[in-house]
Amino acid sequence: MSHGQPYQQPNFDYSQVRPAYSPHNNLFPIAQLGQPVNASSWPESLDEIQQGTPQGMASASRAASGTEHAKHRRTRMRAKAAIPEVSDSEEEIYVKKERPAADSVHRGLGNSSKSKTARKNTRNKDAASAKHPAQGYTQPLPSIEQSEQDVRFGQSPPTDASSPSQPGSRGSRHIDHLTPESSLSPETISLSHLPHDQRHYLEYLRTNVTYHHYFFGNDASYFVRHILIEHALSYEPLLYAVVGFAAYHATLKRPNGKIQDFLGYYDRSVSLLLKSLASNQRHTDATILTILQLATFEEYLGDWVNLLGHQKAACSMLVELYSIDSILENELRRRILAWYSRFDLFAGFLSGYETVLGRQWFAANECFHIDQAMQHPESIHCRLQAAIASHRVIALDMILLFAKLPRGAISLQEFQKENELLAARIRGWKEGLEPLLSDDRYLIKSFVGAPERDEKDIVDPYRPGCLMQGPLWTMNFLMMDWLGTSIMHTSQTARIMQKQPPPRLKDLALDVCRLFEAVEYWPGSVPGSILSAQAGLGIAVMFLPQDERHTMWCRRKLAKIEAQGYTYPPNFRDKLANLWGIAEVHHWWLPDEEACPSIVRSIRSFIEARTPSLSRQPKAEDVRTMKGLVDKLNID
């Protein structure tokens, strides 16, 4: 949209957006759907917001055009506030003691405001610093508390991640927010200099591992198969983490696969990362990518204790490297935020605790993507990104709300009022997507090549129009996430209000099962798709009828997910074993260890043996036992 051109109303419900102060929001306004735009009433500055709203809410994006839009771009992204303290001893090793002084000019990737000469001088400066590593390491790293103050008062903390000379950044193709990554052809990256085993597994990653294996909600093909590998080639800890993750999935495919085939790469990555951080090397995008890759590895293994340690470390480094502004400057950093935020929300759901990262980061990301969807109404990719960001804010607010009542931070009457608003937002989110859900061009109407329907099936996965394809493939997983959120909200509300769970919970659960099985059986599904859908299924199985037909269907699906490498915590099996009255589920999903690969048994035994005493880490224990999920859901 060129400057001065009249703003065109998007043909998409996200155009009917205005920031509205959420009852949970003490930092940043959240976009509400279904309300007319009234830009004249929006706050003009951070000062105005701080004077009129609790604890300094920040303004969101406005529906303006041309130079008007550019004028307010920085104002609406200034959502600075206190960052939660993450200085537990278990992740202090991840905070370096010294780093180079940052340039006075913030050097974001893709920043076009600098002249070519200035950029060249910056690169020369960085190159000189690399040749003489003793130079530039004289400024002590601010404490976590000081970094929090920098962000709280609107200053961008010094960051080496913004440098264009960081590992892997100069060769990266620019990825914009408008382009589906599956449409990008990866540039050739030479792997010939690597040892044979590393080269083999990176090639395996390129051809067999997809963004679904990383649980990304939207297409991240280019990131997984190019950008991640490119950064790994310049940072050895990340290289071993990525190679180990690929080796893990390759090992699962081999009948005689052994745990030693991948575990050595994981251990090597951890030791190299600790050595890198202890030596005061610069923290870069590659450093935090390493931590996130290790955390993803640990989620698959069911190693929740180490996963929580890496999640906290990632949060500490994310706050150190980026500000709320700078993390939204390019697609790589937005991908880092999306990757981290999933861990934070997932841990919150499982444990019943609040997220570690402040709400303002989630809300700023939401406002950015809604703004892009409004500017580019023709882009399905932008609409989906906005929907994902909005759903994560809704999920976050649900975590925050349901964590308030048990600790006495809110009265029952206040809870009821806020919960009604939350329920309206959950319904409104889906209503805002109806134009896409009804787009006949992308509805799958044929399952030619799929297995014949089992007469014992509990759903009809082949019902025409139940699945979407092409650019709306992501919508299938968005709907499973929405159904899971609706189940959680409805169930927890009934529990708190001491009411019987409504019958609609069964219908919502069956909808999840139908979508899951349609994704599983459709011949055109992206490899790893059912792994992206495992969280929603894990919620749904608790609300199905408990007869033999339904329970056996659930047992087979859960066994298939674990056979593909995703290890459920023992407490989850225990809960379902008690719910179904089937003792053997305590050990494995199916009778006589049917469909249980030997490598899966080895992984489970290994993790149980290495899990330390958690008496001094209550949150880690609550995540491992899924306390927030199995204890709070009203399934009796």
Side-chain angles (χ1 to χ4, degrees):
M1 183 167 61
S2 61
H3 293 298
Q5 180 179 348
Y7 178 74
Q8 300 295 321
Q9 186 77 353
N11 183 24
F12 179 58
D13 278 1
Y14 275 117
S15 66
Q16 301 300 311
V17 170
R18 75 169 181 82
Y21 297 128
S22 162
H24 308 296
N25 182 7
N26 60 353
L27 298 169
F28 202 94
I30 177 170
Q32 298 276 18
L33 301 180
Q35 301 184 33
V37 177
N38 182 11
S40 63
S41 64
W42 297 6
E44 290 293 331
S45 67
L46 187 59
D47 291 338
E48 180 181 337
I49 298 163
Q50 290 171 332
Q51 293 170 6
T53 58
Q55 299 187 31
M57 294 183 185
S59 61
S61 54
R62 63 172 64 221
S65 62
T67 55
E68 172 76 358
H69 174 79
K71 174 182 176 181
H72 295 282
R73 183 59 178 265
R74 290 200 174 275
T75 299
R76 66 174 178 270
M77 300 310 297
R78 294 291 176 185
K80 311 296 186 182
I83 303 301
E85 184 174 348
V86 282
S87 56
D88 296 341
S89 59
E90 62 187 300
E91 72 269 3
E92 283 180 352
I93 187 64
Y94 290 98
V95 184
K96 60 182 177 180
K97 298 178 180 178
E98 294 183 334
R99 67 172 169 206
D103 294 340
S104 58
V105 178
H106 189 76
R107 298 173 292 163
L109 294 178
N111 186 348
S112 60
S113 61
K114 294 182 66 176
S115 66
K116 292 182 178 179
T117 302
R119 289 194 296 269
K120 181 177 180 181
N121 291 339
T122 298
R123 288 193 295 269
N124 291 340
K125 178 181 177 181
D126 288 342
S129 178
K131 293 178 182 179
H132 304 284
Q135 298 178 9
Y137 280 79
T138 58
Q139 179 178 346
L141 173 69
S143 64
I144 294 296
E145 291 78 6
Q146 181 62 47
S147 296
E148 293 175 3
Q149 291 176 1
D150 290 343
V151 177
R152 184 181 301 121
F153 294 108
Q155 302 170 16
S156 297
T159 171
D160 293 307
S162 61
S163 170
S165 62
Q166 64 173 301
S169 64
R170 287 178 293 180
S172 299
R173 179 190 300 182
H174 173 67
I175 307 176
D176 61 51
H177 54 272
L178 301 176
T179 309
E181 294 190 25
S182 58
S183 65
L184 298 174
S185 299
E187 301 162 0
T188 301
I189 301 178
S190 176
L191 306 177
S192 59
H193 63 289
L194 296 174
H196 172 75
D197 61 324
Q198 295 180 8
R199 187 167 65 250
H200 167 75
Y201 286 124
L202 289 181
E203 290 291 355
Y204 184 90
L205 184 88
R206 282 174 167 175
T207 55
N208 295 280
V209 177
T210 72
Y211 62 93
H212 283 301
H213 291 91
Y214 282 85
F215 313 121
F216 283 122
N218 204 4
D219 184 7
S221 305
Y222 190 76
F223 171 79
V224 169
R225 295 178 172 177
H226 184 84
I227 299 300
L228 191 59
I229 293 177
E230 187 180 41
H231 280 73
L233 293 178
S234 299
Y235 189 60
E236 200 173 17
L238 179 57
L239 175 63
Y240 277 94
V242 173
V243 168
F245 189 68
Y248 175 70
H249 287 284
T251 301
L252 292 167
K253 300 292 185 182
R254 292 197 291 265
N256 59 344
K258 304 294 182 183
I259 196 170
Q260 296 85 353
D261 296 344
F262 61 84
L263 196 59
Y265 297 110
Y266 168 84
D267 289 340
R268 180 64 172 161
S269 173
V270 172
S271 62
L272 286 173
L273 177 63
L274 293 173
K275 181 179 179 181
S276 170
L277 298 173
S279 66
N280 295 326
Q281 292 183 19
R282 296 183 181 184
H283 293 179
T284 66
D285 293 330
T287 317
I288 195 169
L289 286 171
T290 305
I291 298 174
L292 293 171
Q293 175 66 88
L294 289 172
T296 302
F297 207 152
E298 288 151 359
E299 182 178 348
Y300 270 94
L301 295 174
D303 188 357
W304 299 96
V305 179
N306 283 312
L307 186 152
L308 261 290
H310 279 123
Q311 179 220 336
K312 290 182 179 181
C315 182
S316 178
M317 190 169 293
L318 186 147
V319 171
E320 173 207 330
L321 288 177
Y322 316 112
S323 68
I324 295 176
D325 283 351
S326 67
I327 203 165
L328 297 171
E329 285 182 347
N330 63 63
E331 187 64 19
L332 171 60
R333 294 185 190 172
R334 292 191 290 272
R335 188 67 68 186
I336 288 172
L337 178 60
W339 197 351
Y340 170 80
S341 64
R342 180 198 167 270
F343 280 120
D344 214 348
L345 288 171
F346 196 51
F349 269 122
L350 294 184
S351 68
Y353 287 76
E354 296 182 0
T355 56
V356 181
L357 190 65
R359 185 189 187 281
Q360 70 275 20
W361 294 76
F362 292 84
N365 182 59
E366 178 197 28
C367 287
F368 172 86
H369 286 293
I370 288 178
D371 183 61
Q372 298 306 313
M374 293 172 68
Q375 288 187 65
H376 306 282
E378 76 291 343
S379 172
I380 291 177
H381 183 69
C382 283
R383 301 180 192 184
L384 293 175
Q385 292 285 61
I388 292 169
S390 290
H391 185 267
R392 286 190 169 176
V393 174
I394 290 173
L396 171 62
D397 285 342
M398 186 170 73
I399 293 172
L400 297 178
L401 176 59
F402 284 99
K404 284 182 178 180
L405 198 60
R407 68 171 190 264
I410 190 174
S411 69
L412 184 60
Q413 292 74 22
E414 291 171 324
F415 170 82
Q416 288 178 287
K417 183 178 179 180
E418 294 189 20
N419 195 42
E420 288 174 2
L421 294 174
L422 179 61
R425 287 169 57 200
I426 294 173
R427 292 192 301 269
W429 182 90
K430 182 175 182 292
E431 292 168 0
L433 292 175
E434 288 299 338
L436 292 181
L437 290 169
S438 60
D439 193 332
D440 189 69
R441 296 173 298 171
Y442 304 113
L443 291 174
I444 295 176
K445 301 172 183 177
S446 172
F447 280 77
V448 174
E452 291 187 10
R453 185 184 174 191
D454 189 336
E455 61 181 12
K456 296 182 180 179
D457 210 338
I458 63 173
V459 290
D460 181 6
Y462 302 144
R463 192 178 75 191
C466 72
L467 204 64
M468 310 202 78
Q469 62 181 326
L472 290 183
W473 172 250
T474 296
M475 188 65 72
N476 304 309
F477 304 91
L478 271 175
M479 290 312 302
M480 278 188 272
D481 287 345
W482 178 84
L483 288 165
T485 300
S486 298
I487 292 172
M488 292 282 289
H489 178 262
T490 303
S491 172
Q492 292 195 47
T493 298
R495 180 184 61 85
I496 289 175
M497 302 309 297
Q498 298 182 349
K499 296 181 178 179
Q500 287 296 319
R504 68 184 292 261
L505 282 175
K506 172 188 170 183
D507 297 330
L508 292 172
L510 286 171
D511 283 342
V512 172
C513 296
R514 176 177 50 80
L515 273 171
F516 179 91
E517 197 164 64
V519 166
E520 178 188 6
Y521 288 158
W522 186 53
S525 287
V526 179
S529 292
I530 67 169
L531 294 169
S532 277
Q534 57 79 24
L537 183 68
I539 295 172
V541 296
M542 297 185 179
F543 297 93
L544 294 173
Q546 296 169 22
D547 58 81
E548 182 179 358
R549 186 165 69 101
H550 285 84
T551 55
M552 184 53 72
W553 185 94
C554 295
R555 294 171 68 183
R556 292 198 178 279
K557 300 306 178 185
L558 295 170
K560 185 169 186 177
I561 290 172
E562 282 218 35
Q564 292 198 15
Y566 190 88
T567 305
Y568 285 107
N571 188 263
F572 181 62
R573 290 196 310 275
D574 294 343
K575 186 72 176 183
L576 290 176
N578 295 332
L579 182 67
W580 296 334
I582 305 174
E584 63 189 1
V585 171
H586 288 288
H587 178 66
W588 177 245
W589 299 111
L590 297 175
D592 301 321
E593 293 192 346
E594 177 188 344
C596 182
S598 59
I599 183 64
V600 171
R601 291 194 294 271
S602 298
I603 291 169
R604 289 168 58 180
S605 299
F606 171 77
I607 295 301
E608 286 298 314
R610 70 177 284 182
T611 300
S613 172
L614 301 176
S615 58
R616 298 173 64 183
Q617 302 179 54
K619 183 175 180 179
E621 170 67 0
D622 289 345
V623 169
R624 191 181 73 91
T625 60
M626 306 179 80
K627 178 180 175 63
L629 177 62
V630 299
D631 285 2
K632 291 186 176 180
L633 288 177
N634 191 348
I635 57 178
D636 298 327

